[in-house]
């Protein structure tokens, strides 16, 4: 009798109907666990099996990892973001990227480890930005419909930083040709990618005289890894004597208990087709509600798109809490996401479009660099340091007249 088996090339949703979700060693949904043997990973995907491992129980992960994140907005945000990926395709949302920026020992990498523990073993799940575009595309495909974590943005070549961000944000690889000159299928993926580093994407791009664009900003949210309590990412110490003790515990515990939370989430999400549909409707409604509540009056559309992403993270965290996976109280994920959205907005410098903000930054830089030397002054001969005999500067930015304080205040 001929035996038929399904070959799975990527993690995530296997069918167009989104009825089956596959991890390298487990299948969730209509297929049921008893049919998992019918699904086999390709060799390319099988190499990532170790990253999706699990250790300990869900209760142990809750008690030793998640419980200590409560009251710490950045940690709650990172955990909530880890539950978003399976919901992206169901709601038609774009990929979400988030970068935690801060100095060494601020705890930014611990945010990645805590989030990675939702999906698997952080020791194998976290990858480095120090890679090629092709390798990054392969890794993104292996994390399809899942969480991707990348450490040390500064190790990425500045010349390829912009394209790498667009690759992950757009969820689509490069077009390539086969040996016979026919086109290969373009790699596509949906995911949430979390990043850490000492510098921002804009700072990295500036190394090659580039600037981050509006597309980068929306796809790759830059957050300062500072909770504002003078302890890096930490706000609430719980039973620990200091922030270093607490982050060291989270580091060790996330490497000891991992991989159970996302399996519980997927089991609940795909209990029945009706459950999945109700969950998607509830998730979508909550995103729209939070967007309305967080509306920035007069804000650019870019800001509203970013608000949607933070709202999605909040809604996913609240869903995981309602299902008893995240051991927080109702509203904790929403408060954390809103706090982080406000911090992002303040760090950004305003709610105008990126083009306006970048133009203002450029103007300030030029004024600091050239001072008054680029202006033509009516009475420059009378002023110390402006004895150019009325010469018109090239280029000329404008015209001015020095006014003495006695003339300004008669």
């Amino acid at each position: 009798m001929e035996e038929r088996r399904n070959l799975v090339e990527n993690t995530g949703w296997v069918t167009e109907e989104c009825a089956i979700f596959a991890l390298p060693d487990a299948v969730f949904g209509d297929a049921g666990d008893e049919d998992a043997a019918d699904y086999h990973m390709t060799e390319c995907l099988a190499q990532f099996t170790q990253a999706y491992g699990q250790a300990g129980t869900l209760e142990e992960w809750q008690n030793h990892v998640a419980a200590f994140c409560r009251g710490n907005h950045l940690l709650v945000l990172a955990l909530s973001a880890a539950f978003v990926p399976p919901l992206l395709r169901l709601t038609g949302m774009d990929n979400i990227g988030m970068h935690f920026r801060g100095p060494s020992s601020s705890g930014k990498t611990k945010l990645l480890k805590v989030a990675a523990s939702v999906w698997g073993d952080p020791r194998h799940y976290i990858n480095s930005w120090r890679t090629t575009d092709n390798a990054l595309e392969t890794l993104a495909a292996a994390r399809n419909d899942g969480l991707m974590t990348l450490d040390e943005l500064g190790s990425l070549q500045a010349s390829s930083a912009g394209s790498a961000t667009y690759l992950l944000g757009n969820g689509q690889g490069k077009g390539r040709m086969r040996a016979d000159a026919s086109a290969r299928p373009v790699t596509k993926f949906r995911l949430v990618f979390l990043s850490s580093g000492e510098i921002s994407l804009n700072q990295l791009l500036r190394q090659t005289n580039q600037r981050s664009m509006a597309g980068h900003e929306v796809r790759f949210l830059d957050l300062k890894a500072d909770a504002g309590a003078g302890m890096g990412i930490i706000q609430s110490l719980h039973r620990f004597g200091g922030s270093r003790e607490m982050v060291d515990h989270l580091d060790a515990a996330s490497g000891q208990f991992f991989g159970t939370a996302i399996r519980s989430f997927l089991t609940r999400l795909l209990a029945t087709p009706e459950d999945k549909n109700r969950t998607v409707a509830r998730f979508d409604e909550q995103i729209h509600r939070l967007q309305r509540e967080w509306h920035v009056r007069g804000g650019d559309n870019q800001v509203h798109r970013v608000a949607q992403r933070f709202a999605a993270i909040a809604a996913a965290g609240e869903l995981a809490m309602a299902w008893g996976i995240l051991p927080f109280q109702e509203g904790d994920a929403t408060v954390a996401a809103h706090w982080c959205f406000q911090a992002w907005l303040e760090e950004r410098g305003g709610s105008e479009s990126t083009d306006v903000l970048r133009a203002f930054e450029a103007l300030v830089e030029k004024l600091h660099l050239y001072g008054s030397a680029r202006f033509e002054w009516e009475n420059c001969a009378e002023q110390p340091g402006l004895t150019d005999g009325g010469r018109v500067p090239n280029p000329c930015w404008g015209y001015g007249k020095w006014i003495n304080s006695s003339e300004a205040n008669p």
Side-chain angles (χ1 to χ4, degrees), residues 20 27-36:
I20 300 171
V27 174
F28 303 84
D30 289 349
D33 289 341
E34 69 274 13
D35 297 326

Side-chain angles (χ1 to χ4, degrees), residues 91-94 96 218 221 283-284 287-288 290-291 294 301-315 341:
T91 55
M93 286 190 64
D94 295 328
I96 300 175
V218 172
L221 312 180
F283 179 72
D284 200 43
I287 292 174
H288 286 88
L290 291 176
Q291 273 190 283
W294 298 354
N301 187 53
Q302 297 161 12
V303 174
H304 300 320
R305 289 173 63 188
V306 171
Q308 180 196 41
R309 284 158 168 75
F310 278 105
I313 293 172
F341 172 57

Side-chain angles (χ1 to χ4, degrees), residues 175-211:
R176 295 181 175 86
M177 296 176 63
R178 295 189 177 97
D180 61 359
S182 62
R184 291 183 179 179
V186 176
T187 302
K188 295 185 178 181
F189 45 84
R190 287 189 192 247
L191 46 74
V192 170
F193 58 105
L194 302 183
S195 164
S196 70
E198 295 185 15
I199 60 176
S200 67
L201 176 64
N202 190 42
Q203 290 171 318
L204 181 61
L205 291 172
R206 290 295 300 275
Q207 295 177 10
T208 54
N209 295 319
Q210 303 177 73
R211 288 180 183 270

Side-chain angles (χ1 to χ4, degrees), residues 207-281:
Q207 295 177 10
T208 54
N209 295 319
Q210 303 177 73
R211 288 180 183 270
S212 61
M213 308 297 288
H216 295 131
E217 182 180 282
V218 172
R219 290 169 175 80
F220 196 49
L221 312 180
D222 184 78
L223 271 179
K224 194 174 181 180
D226 185 353
M231 298 184 290
I233 64 171
I234 303 300
Q235 289 165 283
S236 175
L237 290 171
H238 294 279
R239 61 175 174 80
F240 298 98
S243 59
R244 173 51 52 192
E245 182 184 350
M246 181 172 170
V247 296
D248 286 346
H249 168 83
L250 290 173
D251 187 13
S254 60
Q256 186 176 359
F257 309 105
F258 52 79
T260 53
I262 195 59
R263 295 165 189 263
S264 298
F265 188 84
L266 291 170
T267 299
R268 182 63 183 269
L269 175 64
L270 294 171
T272 67
E274 293 74 22
D275 284 339
K276 184 190 72 174
N277 293 336
R278 281 194 295 268
T279 297
V280 172

